[in-house]
Amino acid sequence: MLKYIALKGLLAVLVAFTVSLAAFLLLNVASDPAQAIAGEDATPGVVETIRARYGLDRPVYERYVSWLAGVVQGDFGESYYWHKPVAELVAERADETLTLAFSALLVTIVIAVPLGALAGLNPNSWIDRAALGVAVSAQAVPNFWLGLIMIILFAVMIPIFPVSGDNSWYHFVLPAIVLGASSVPAVMRLTRTGLIEVMGADYIRTAKSKGFRGNHLLRRHALRNAILPVISVLAVQLGQKFGGSVITESIFAINGLGRLALESILGADIPTVQMLIFVFAIVFVAMNLLADILNAALDPRIRIG
Amino acid sequence: MQFRNVANLVAVAVVATGLCTPANAGPEDDTLRIAMAEEILNLDYNYTTKREYIILAQLTDAKLFEFDPETQDIKPSVASEFEWVDETTLDVILRDDVKFHDGSRLKAEDVAYTYNWLRSPESEANATGVVERWLEKAEVVAPNRVRFHMTAVYPLVLRDMASRVMLRKAGTYGEDGQIDRDAMSSALVATGPYRVVSFEPGTELVLERFEDYFGEKPAIENVTVRNIPDIGTQQAELMSGGIDWMFKVPEDVATAADAIPSIDFLSGADLRIGFLVLDAGGWSDAEGPMTKVQVRQAVNHALNTEEIAKFLMGESSQAIHTACHPAQFGCDQSVTKYDYDPQRAKELLAEAGYPEGFPLDLWAYRDKAVAEAVASDLTAVGIDVNLRYVKLESLNQARAAREIPAYFGTWGSGGTADTAAIAQIHFGDSDRNLSGDDQLSELVLAAEQTADPDERKAFYSQALGVIADEAYWAPLVTYTANYLVAADLEFPLSPDGLPRLQNARWK
């Protein structure tokens, strides 16, 4: 098992660096960072000053190597905009994104698992069709649209929640619903399929023959087994919430990593973008790794294979 | 049981609403709440460039002189008066009642320090480019008198002082070799009508009226600037009373929001203009069609600028025929005007040897609808336009490589209502100048080296006349500045399009 984890861990680090290299090249080749920082009406003199100030006049490979050397020593460089160490900047904003990601995951679980269970226990019934309808709708609706609709409904027309900001837990309700909704279809379907499969299994028949029924049968025998693959999917979904927070944080003006990423990309703040991509990649890869380990722990055939 | 649970939930929601909904903006707490999409990260305008920072600098900073957008005059501000010692030496006399936000009095040393610091290469400030053009050294010659030694005759010195240089206390950016260029980025100590109370970069800036401000004090006591990236969210905040003011509002959004009684749509002038720059100098193709004056005139005749202004830019937009904004000093409107006349355009193309037209790569980086309208107008007279809509950086790179036969550009003149602010960069020594006309560059330079306003006007008239006659540009339209504001806010618009929030008041 340790060998398996080590191998997966090594692959994770390689993926993170490959992503960072691709991001670095795209950021530098596709645009002129100095111009992006300076703005539309900047004179050539100002652009040149910025280029020299941030060492953007050096070759791209040289800058990447120097960034990599810093990362190995735990130094992610200094932001062009904020003029402070990028690691400090990311640490300051991680709170908001973590809060949003975990709240969104909670929303996903609260909606998707019961809905999936209901659908799985009543396959092909109107409940099943209604649940699948919810899943299809949640999948079809883009985040930015759902966000604006939620704002109009629950912040403007019925002013229960604040429109934007991140001053209190209350500010996170609407964004968590918006971000959480996108994962509902996958988790709901998996719960439903798992339950249908489990409910047809021999051990459930045995349990029923012993007289177990209703909630007890569902909680002690069926759901516990059906939910195992869902847990590993939720781990991956948590990773996706980090990346997915970019749009949600912008709509709700939450000052987290997603919004930082968007602003940094628009402003070509390369050190910040680099670290954020690195962090997002690491989180995503770590969550995948966690899911792999969970699966391997639950099913030994996986680590042998 | 179930009903009781639901009732409990509703009760929690109601209580939470009362506790957590942000306080409404407006006169109740005398706080003007404004939204900006761009993240505010640095409060020191000496080290920034973007529009948002100019607006904030108006609130927090004072300069030696102030530009009056109504009269286009340069008026004293921190300076009380000025005297020319000779053609290249200017004495500025300071008021004696100017205080910094920390309560200390502004001294001549502070002014000299600020200018000398910005002049020095180690400052690496964004304002350096403006100061180094003319400043040799600033020195204190009396307790309230600063002498500016200039490298050459430069009549725009007062304009530069009125637009770009924010005054800082001596030693602000470090002393004894210790340099701190970010010293004022978040804890700003300036001399303007508002002082910084708190600042969370990228989230919120809180300002309060500076009671020791030497000038006319603002009517509203507090200003809060919130960063809200999404324009739809800003609009929702305005509708729910969370903010009082938003800007850069697209025309369609603003028009729709105007129907809401609690919101006013204000549309004013903006110094930004749109234009086509034509490669008359033949940089991209020495024998290309754009090197022929009839072709360039045909392009001018082909464009229906009135309709572009009316239908694509908004009600305050206007068609222009000069290489400057009509509100700018020296922007002579009597130069040659090319009316919309597609037939005449076709005739001119035929005269130039292109009766069947020619293929043209037209570059653009913003306002796609306008770029497409231009392309459509040109196609209608036989020019086969290939619209290359790209990122600004790509256009800049291609222009620097001299590969662009024509592009749709815009320029906001940094909010400066003087033709110099646009002529300098587009017809001087810059890769934006595609005219290839050295005499024109000399005219523009001459206008900058003349102190007499009438003489400057004459030079600009001559230069703008040449640009129009030779059709180096196809001027298009002025831009509009669209605002959505709370109905109880009185926000006066400025002719130069620069929002001056310090002049706002409650109705």
Side-chain angles (χ1 to χ4, degrees):
Chain A
M1 187 68 176
L2 275 177
K3 194 178 160 191
Y4 176 80
I5 294 172
L7 185 68
K8 287 281 180 184
L10 185 67
L11 278 173
V13 173
L14 280 176
V15 167
F17 274 105
T18 309
V19 169
S20 78
L21 176 62
F24 196 90
L25 289 176
L26 284 172
L27 276 168
N28 283 278
V29 173
S31 66
D32 176 2
Q35 178 68 56
I37 294 165
E40 184 180 348
D41 288 347
T43 58
V46 169
V47 177
E48 284 313 312
T49 303
I50 288 171
R51 187 167 285 126
R53 187 191 301 165
Y54 297 125
L56 295 168
D57 44 2
R58 291 185 299 156
V60 174
Y61 71 88
E62 201 179 304
R63 281 186 275 147
Y64 182 72
V65 169
S66 119
W67 176 80
L68 206 55
V71 170
V72 171
Q73 297 165 57
D75 175 12
F76 284 83
E78 193 171 300
S79 161
Y80 296 160
Y81 270 164
W82 284 265
H83 303 284
K84 61 161 84 170
V86 175
E88 197 182 306
L89 192 62
V90 170
E92 276 172 13
R93 299 223 187 176
D95 269 6
E96 276 75 9
T97 302
L98 280 170
T99 309
L100 179 61
F102 279 105
S103 318
L105 196 68
L106 189 68
V107 168
T108 302
I109 294 168
V110 166
I111 297 175
V113 174
L115 214 55
L118 275 174
L121 289 173
N122 304 283
N124 301 318
S125 65
W126 69 268
I127 298 175
D128 189 22
R129 281 194 290 274
L132 284 172
V134 170
V136 169
S137 306
Q139 201 152 30
V141 173
N143 264 16
F144 67 88
W145 188 82
L146 181 62
L148 287 176
I149 291 297
M150 297 292 276
I151 287 173
I152 291 167
L153 282 178
F154 300 110
V156 178
M157 291 174 75
I158 311 167
I160 300 174
F161 298 103
V163 175
S164 62
D166 54 14
N167 296 337
S168 71
W169 66 269
Y170 214 55
H171 288 83
F172 285 90
V173 175
L174 293 184
I177 292 171
V178 169
L179 190 57
S182 59
S183 304
V184 164
V187 176
M188 199 219 83
R189 282 205 185 95
L190 205 61
T191 311
R192 175 186 176 272
T193 315
L195 257 180
I196 290 173
E197 208 171 289
V198 165
M199 290 305 280
D202 291 344
Y203 68 89
I204 293 290
R205 206 164 42 244
T206 309
K208 279 181 180 172
S209 69
K210 286 180 180 175
F212 293 117
R213 288 284 183 279
N215 269 347
H216 184 83
L217 178 73
L218 184 66
R219 280 189 288 111
R220 299 286 298 227
H221 297 273
L223 204 51
R224 183 176 275 196
N225 288 302
I227 211 78
L228 286 174
V230 176
I231 291 171
S232 59
V233 165
L234 283 173
V236 178
Q237 291 293 335
L238 184 63
Q240 284 184 343
K241 297 285 170 244
F242 273 76
S245 66
V246 172
I247 291 171
T248 311
E249 287 184 6
S250 293
I251 292 170
F252 290 95
I254 292 173
N255 207 18
L257 297 181
R259 199 171 140 206
L260 179 67
L262 186 67
E263 293 293 336
S264 306
I265 290 166
L266 293 176
D269 187 359
I270 292 173
T272 311
V273 178
Q274 279 297 111
M275 178 165 183
L276 285 170
I277 289 173
F278 194 72
V279 167
F280 288 156
I282 288 284
V283 169
F284 196 78
V285 165
M287 289 297 142
N288 269 295
L289 181 62
L290 185 68
D292 285 346
I293 293 168
L294 268 173
N295 281 332
L298 294 170
D299 187 350
R301 287 172 299 178
I302 293 174
R303 54 180 187 266
I304 293 166
Chain B
M1 183 69 181
Q2 277 180 343
F3 174 77
R4 206 167 64 196
N5 285 343
V6 172
N8 285 345
L9 265 176
V10 171
V12 167
V14 169
V15 171
T17 306
L19 290 176
C20 301
T21 303
N24 273 356
E28 288 81 16
D29 60 356
D30 203 7
T31 300
L32 169 65
R33 290 179 173 84
I34 70 170
M36 288 187 171
E38 188 89 25
E39 290 211 1
I40 304 303
L41 309 168
N42 187 338
L43 302 179
D44 189 351
Y45 185 54
N46 288 335
Y47 278 87
T48 56
T49 54
K50 295 181 181 174
R51 187 75 163 176
E52 284 74 4
Y53 294 111
I54 304 178
I55 297 168
L56 293 180
Q58 292 282 332
L59 296 171
T60 56
D61 276 289
K63 295 150 283 185
L64 285 177
F65 297 92
E66 202 62 60
F67 179 78
D68 184 335
E70 303 291 342
T71 62
Q72 299 192 346
D73 290 339
I74 305 287
K75 293 179 169 176
S77 179
V78 169
S80 58
E81 55 184 304
F82 64 93
E83 288 170 15
W84 285 101
V85 178
D86 59 43
E87 273 195 322
T88 58
T89 311
L90 173 72
D91 273 10
V92 173
I93 297 98
L94 307 173
R95 295 170 67 116
D96 57 6
D97 58 350
V98 180
K99 282 186 175 176
F100 282 103
H101 293 158
D102 64 359
S104 59
R105 196 171 293 278
L106 176 130
K107 301 186 293 290
E109 284 80 4
D110 300 319
V111 175
Y113 165 82
T114 303
Y115 276 83
N116 286 330
W117 164 257
L118 293 176
R119 173 69 183 84
S120 66
E122 66 265 30
S123 77
E124 296 179 6
N126 293 99
T128 297
V130 168
V131 176
E132 70 182 0
R133 222 167 28 220
W134 52 267
L135 181 65
E136 186 186 312
K137 187 179 68 171
E139 66 169 333
V140 177
V141 289
N144 69 337
R145 182 181 285 254
V146 183
R147 179 160 295 169
F148 292 90
H149 299 275
M150 294 159 58
T151 51
V153 175
Y154 184 68
L156 303 181
V157 61
L158 297 186
R159 188 205 67 178
D160 284 358
M161 287 175 165
S163 66
R164 196 61 182 92
V165 178
M166 306 301 158
L167 302 172
R168 303 286 176 251
K169 290 175 77 169
T172 290
Y173 299 107
E175 285 173 310
D176 305 327
Q178 297 291 315
I179 292 174
D180 181 7
R181 298 182 186 94
D182 300 322
M184 290 288 106
S185 65
S186 56
L188 183 71
V189 179
T191 53
Y194 285 95
R195 68 175 197 88
V196 176
V197 175
S198 66
F199 176 46
E200 201 179 328
T203 304
E204 191 177 79
L205 166 68
V206 179
L207 305 172
E208 75 174 7
R209 189 167 53 210
F210 180 45
E211 298 301 342
D212 286 336
Y213 178 57
F214 62 90
E216 189 182 339
K217 292 182 185 60
I220 296 175
E221 188 177 353
N222 307 297
V223 177
T224 298
V225 184
R226 285 186 58 201
N227 290 141
I228 303 175
D230 189 88
I231 198 97
T233 313
Q234 287 189 17
Q235 206 183 337
E237 284 282 12
L238 192 59
M239 286 162 71
S240 67
I243 60 168
D244 306 290
W245 185 93
M246 58 189 279
F247 78 133
K248 288 186 178 174
V249 188
E251 185 76 14
D252 53 339
V253 174
T255 310
D258 198 28
I260 301 167
S262 62
I263 297 176
D264 283 347
F265 165 30
L266 305 177
S267 181
D270 191 303
L271 276 190
R272 182 171 296 279
I273 62 167
F275 44 83
L276 296 191
V277 178
L278 310 174
D279 182 15
W283 307 100
S284 58
D285 179 358
E287 301 297 322
M290 287 301 163
T291 59
K292 297 182 171 58
V293 67
Q294 294 102 320
V295 170
R296 300 195 299 271
Q297 288 171 337
V299 168
N300 273 269
H301 276 301
L303 300 172
N304 192 343
T305 52
E306 299 284 350
E307 289 208 343
I308 291 173
K310 185 177 173 188
F311 295 110
L312 296 178
M313 303 302 293
E315 61 180 84
S316 301
S317 172
Q318 55 177 306
I320 55 167
H321 66 283
T322 52
C324 47
H325 192 291
Q328 288 181 306
F329 173 89
C331 189
D332 186 357
Q333 296 299 296
S334 68
V335 301
T336 305
K337 186 177 179 185
Y338 300 92
D339 292 329
Y340 174 56
D341 189 346
Q343 194 49 44
R344 178 69 187 133
K346 285 179 186 169
E347 288 167 13
L348 282 164
L349 286 177
E351 279 174 32
Y354 300 99
E356 303 302 319
F358 56 87
L360 173 69
D361 276 352
L362 175 67
W363 292 62
Y365 70 96
R366 64 177 280 174
D367 304 303
K368 202 170 184 184
V370 176
E372 283 171 346
V374 166
S376 168
D377 283 348
L378 294 179
T379 305
V381 298
I383 299 173
D384 181 16
V385 175
N386 171 31
L387 183 60
R388 300 190 63 168
Y389 193 79
V390 296
K391 295 271 288 177
L392 171 64
E393 293 85 358
S394 307
L395 190 147
N396 283 352
Q397 280 174 15
R399 187 178 56 211
R402 302 293 198 182
E403 291 168 348
I404 291 183
Y407 73 92
F408 167 43
T410 78
W411 192 252
S413 295
T416 303
D418 192 304
T419 299
I422 191 166
Q424 205 169 62
I425 186 84
H426 290 94
F427 296 100
D429 181 19
S430 150
D431 67 9
R432 289 172 196 260
N433 181 2
L434 302 187
S435 71
D437 188 334
D438 293 338
Q439 284 180 322
L440 174 62
S441 297
E442 282 169 22
L443 270 175
V444 169
L445 186 65
E448 289 178 23
Q449 293 179 337
T450 309
D452 184 336
D454 292 334
E455 222 173 305
R456 284 187 64 222
K457 273 187 181 172
F459 276 124
Y460 282 131
S461 289
Q462 208 180 333
L464 293 168
V466 172
I467 293 166
D469 291 343
E470 294 296 323
Y472 288 138
W473 275 16
L476 295 172
V477 291
T478 61
Y479 276 67
T480 58
N482 292 339
Y483 308 90
L484 287 178
V485 304
D488 52 5
L489 182 73
E490 188 181 313
F491 171 64
L493 298 170
S494 306
D496 61 357
L498 182 62
R500 290 173 170 82
L501 287 157
Q502 66 273 28
N503 297 335
R505 59 182 64 246
W506 304 116
K507 282 178 183 167

